[in-house]
Amino acid sequence: ESQPTTSDETVVAGGTVVLKCQVEDPDDSSLQWSNPAQQTLYFGEKRALRDNRIQLERSTPNELTISISDVVLSDEGEYTCSIFTMPVRTAKALVTVLGIPQKPQIFGHEQPIDEEKIARLTCRSSGSKPAAQLRWKKGNKELKDEGTEVVEDPNGKTFTVSSRVEFRVTKEDNEAEVTCTVDHESLQNSERSTTQKLQVHYKPTAKIEPHPQYPREGEKLQLQCDGQGNPIPQEFLWEKEGSDAPLQLSSDSVLIFPFLNKSDSGTYVCTATSSMGSVVAKYNLDVSDASPVPSTSSTYHAVIGGVVAVIVFLLLSLLIVLGHYLIRHKGTYLTHEAKGSDDAPDADTAIINAEGGQAGSDDKKEYFI
C-alpha cells in the first residue's frame, strides 16, 4: 500500500513532460522526485534543483506531480519517485525524448540528365531519434529505394538517414517533380518533405511554318523553322533541294524571301541543331500567281454586296409588280355628252342621241365660255 506508482512517458524534443507519482498510504512520509543523475528535483512541495524548466504541478500526501518544459535530448532517462518509509520504496519512470528529423535534402538533381540515362538521387535527413523512415515519389507514383543508410550523429543520440533511388529518365520526365518525405513519430501524423524538379536534356524537334500561309508571287515570305527541345536548338541550316550551296547558316531560325518569284518554288530543308543532336524539317514551297487570295475581309465585303444586291432586286421587283397592278385596274368614265352613243347604229344617230340626252337632262348643265 505504501508502494509509489509512476508511468513511462514519451515527449518530443522541445515539448513538456509531466511526471506523476502516487501512493495509497503515505504513512506520514513525503514523496520525492529525482532525475537520472539522482539529483533531487522536488521533495514534497519544496524545490531542490534550480532549474526553471521544472515546475511543481501538484503536491498532496498521496501525490507529487511535476513538469519539465522545453525538453532536450539530455533529459532522457529514468526518473525516480521515492517515499521515505522504512524501508524506502521507489518507482521508476522512463522518459523517452524523440529527436525531430530535419527537413530532408535531395542531392543528384543539380545537373541536367540526358534522356535514356540513369538518374541517381539521394535523400538525407538528420536529427531523428529513433532513426526516421524515408520514402520517394515521382509525380504521383511511388519510387522504390535502392537502399537506406543510418549513421549516428556526433551527439551520440540522434541519427542521419540516407536513401537512394535510381531510374531511367525520358523526355516526359523533364520538369517532373521528385519528392522525398520523412516519416517519424515525433511529427505526429504530419509530413516533412522536399520536392525538386528534374531537368532532362532530349533531342530537338522542328517544323517549318510559312508566313503568310498562302505564298504568292510578288509578296514577302518568311519561313519559320520552329525548333523545340531541351536545350532549344541554337543553330539553323537552310538548304534548297537541288542546290549545291546552303542558303543560310546562323542562329536565326527565319528564312526571308523579300520578293517571291516562280523560280523560288521547291522543297526547302531546315536542319536544327542543339547539343543533343540535329533534326531535319522540310517544306514544299509552291508560289502561286499574283492574283489575290480571297481574304476574310474581301469575303465579308462580298457577302455585304450580295445582300445589298438582293435587297435592290426585291425593291425593283416590287415596283414592277405594283406598276403592273395599277395599269390593269385603271378606271374609265363617260361624260354626259357621250351618253347614248354606245347603242347608236351610225354616227349621225349617235350625235342626235348625244344632243338629245344633253337637252333632256335637267340635272346638270354645262356652260362653255
Side-chain angles (χ1 to χ4, degrees):
E1 293 181 356
S2 297
Q3 177 64 40
T5 59
T6 61
S7 61
D8 294 341
E9 302 292 339
T10 299
V11 61
V12 177
T16 298
V17 63
V18 176
L19 300 176
K20 180 188 288 188
C21 181
Q22 294 176 309
V23 64
E24 290 186 7
D25 183 9
D27 195 19
D28 295 329
S29 297
S30 298
L31 294 170
Q32 171 187 291
W33 271 111
S34 302
N35 65 14
Q38 295 304 312
Q39 296 172 311
T40 301
L41 303 179
Y42 269 89
F43 183 75
E45 61 182 11
K46 295 180 181 179
R47 180 194 294 270
L49 186 66
R50 291 184 178 181
D51 188 340
N52 292 330
R53 298 181 306 131
I54 305 173
Q55 297 294 326
L56 177 66
E57 298 294 331
R58 183 179 174 84
S59 177
T60 68
N62 300 87
E63 179 184 336
L64 179 62
T65 300
I66 64 173
S67 65
I68 306 175
S69 59
D70 298 326
V71 173
V72 294
L73 293 172
S74 59
D75 290 327
E76 184 174 271
E78 281 189 340
Y79 288 74
T80 304
C81 175
S82 306
I83 183 169
F84 290 92
T85 57
M86 292 299 292
V88 176
R89 293 181 172 86
T90 61
K92 302 291 186 180
L94 178 62
V95 174
T96 302
V97 181
L98 301 179
I100 303 175
Q102 297 177 4
K103 185 176 181 179
Q105 294 178 293
I106 298 177
F107 304 93
H109 65 91
E110 297 82 5
Q111 298 298 324
I113 308 169
D114 292 349
E115 63 176 334
E116 302 304 325
K117 299 290 186 179
I118 301 297
R120 295 178 173 86
L121 305 179
T122 300
C123 179
R124 184 175 299 131
S125 174
S126 302
S128 60
K129 178 181 174 298
Q133 299 290 325
L134 299 176
R135 53 188 170 91
W136 292 88
K137 288 177 70 176
K138 184 179 72 171
N140 295 322
K141 182 181 178 182
E142 296 282 347
L143 290 177
K144 183 179 180 181
D145 66 0
E146 300 295 326
T148 300
E149 182 182 28
V150 179
V151 178
E152 190 176 72
D153 292 335
N155 59 21
K157 296 181 179 295
T158 58
F159 300 91
T160 294
V161 184
S162 300
S163 175
R164 294 179 295 105
V165 290
E166 295 183 1
F167 54 93
R168 189 179 303 275
V169 298
T170 64
K171 173 182 176 180
E172 288 70 26
D173 289 324
N174 188 46
E175 297 294 329
E177 291 186 344
V178 176
T179 302
C180 177
T181 301
V182 58
D183 295 321
H184 195 263
E185 53 189 303
S186 66
L187 299 177
Q188 300 175 350
N189 299 322
S190 63
E191 285 189 352
R192 183 165 291 187
S193 61
T194 296
T195 299
Q196 295 291 345
K197 286 187 176 182
L198 294 177
Q199 291 294 322
V200 179
H201 279 178
Y202 54 90
K203 294 180 180 179
T205 60
K207 62 178 180 179
I208 299 176
E209 295 286 349
H211 303 283
Q213 187 175 2
Y214 302 102
R216 294 201 164 266
E217 188 176 17
E219 294 181 346
K220 178 181 178 181
L221 173 67
Q222 292 185 355
L223 295 182
Q224 172 76 43
C225 187
D226 184 15
Q228 300 294 325
N230 189 24
I232 295 175
Q234 297 296 321
E235 183 181 88
F236 299 89
L237 172 64
W238 284 98
E239 298 174 291
K240 183 180 181 181
E241 289 187 351
S243 298
D244 296 332
L247 302 176
Q248 179 177 296
L249 175 61
S250 70
S251 59
D252 191 354
S253 62
V254 180
L255 181 65
I256 300 176
F257 297 83
F259 192 87
L260 273 179
N261 293 310
K262 286 281 190 178
S263 59
D264 292 324
S265 296
T267 300
Y268 289 82
V269 180
C270 169
T271 303
T273 302
S274 73
S275 61
M276 292 298 296
S278 299
V279 64
V280 173
K282 294 185 178 182
Y283 175 75
N284 186 30
L285 174 60
D286 184 12
V287 180
S288 301
D289 294 332
S291 57
V293 178
S295 63
T296 303
S297 176
S298 61
T299 301
Y300 173 77
H301 292 156
V303 171
I304 295 299
V307 172
V308 172
V310 169
I311 293 174
V312 172
F313 175 76
L314 291 176
L315 289 176
L316 290 176
S317 299
L318 182 61
L319 290 175
I320 292 173
V321 171
L322 182 60
H324 184 66
Y325 176 82
L326 292 177
I327 291 172
R328 293 194 60 180
H329 292 79
K330 180 179 180 182
T332 57
Y333 66 92
L334 299 173
T335 62
H336 287 287
E337 294 85 348
K339 284 183 178 180
S341 61
D342 291 338
D343 298 329
D346 52 48
D348 294 334
T349 305
I351 294 173
I352 294 172
N353 289 344
E355 290 177 352
Q358 181 178 1
S361 176
D362 295 329
D363 295 332
K364 180 179 179 181
K365 294 182 180 180
E366 294 182 2
Y367 300 90
F368 295 93
I369 301 175

